[in-house]
Amino acid sequence: MTRYEFSLRQEVLLEKGASILADLFRYGQEKNSTEPNHPVQVMYDLVWTAKRNILLTTSEKDLDRIEGQFDLAKEFLSRIETDDNV
């Protein structure tokens, strides 16, 4: 992977992380889940940390790990939103 491709992947992951953070924030506001140890807040903090680490990482492996965390957070949110609608 060239340096350009690596930087481009970082940018894409930054956008993906921002989208997930916005969705988690919106859900937390709707459900008034603002206490620090609420599962939505914990997931928000984990995604925030992963997003912050995107620009600090220097390996594809680390970017893969961060993307996996984002995918997990997105699935988590999808499932709790689905459970709310049942």
Side-chain angles (χ1 to χ4, degrees):
M1 177 178 282
T2 67
R3 184 67 195 151
Y4 172 77
E5 292 168 327
F6 188 83
S7 295
L8 182 60
R9 184 154 182 227
Q10 285 177 308
E11 285 296 322
V12 168
L13 286 176
L14 285 169
E15 291 297 321
K16 184 175 184 176
S19 174
I20 294 166
L21 285 172
D23 291 343
L24 286 166
F25 181 80
R26 176 194 44 78
Y27 182 85
Q29 292 295 309
E30 288 174 2
K31 301 300 177 188
N32 293 321
S33 56
T34 57
E35 57 272 5
N37 55 348
H38 187 281
V40 172
Q41 290 297 69
V42 171
M43 186 61 73
Y44 184 92
D45 290 343
L46 290 171
V47 172
W48 180 266
T49 300
K51 186 176 179 293
R52 186 189 68 217
N53 289 336
I54 291 171
L55 295 177
L56 301 175
T57 190
T58 57
S59 75
E60 287 180 61
K61 183 179 174 183
D62 287 338
L63 291 181
D64 291 340
R65 183 182 50 76
I66 290 168
E67 186 166 22
Q69 290 173 328
F70 288 169
D71 291 342
L72 176 65
K74 192 171 184 172
E75 181 66 22
F76 168 81
L77 186 58
S78 173
R79 296 249 179 131
I80 60 174
E81 287 177 330
T82 299
D83 288 348
D84 285 349
N85 294 326
V86 174

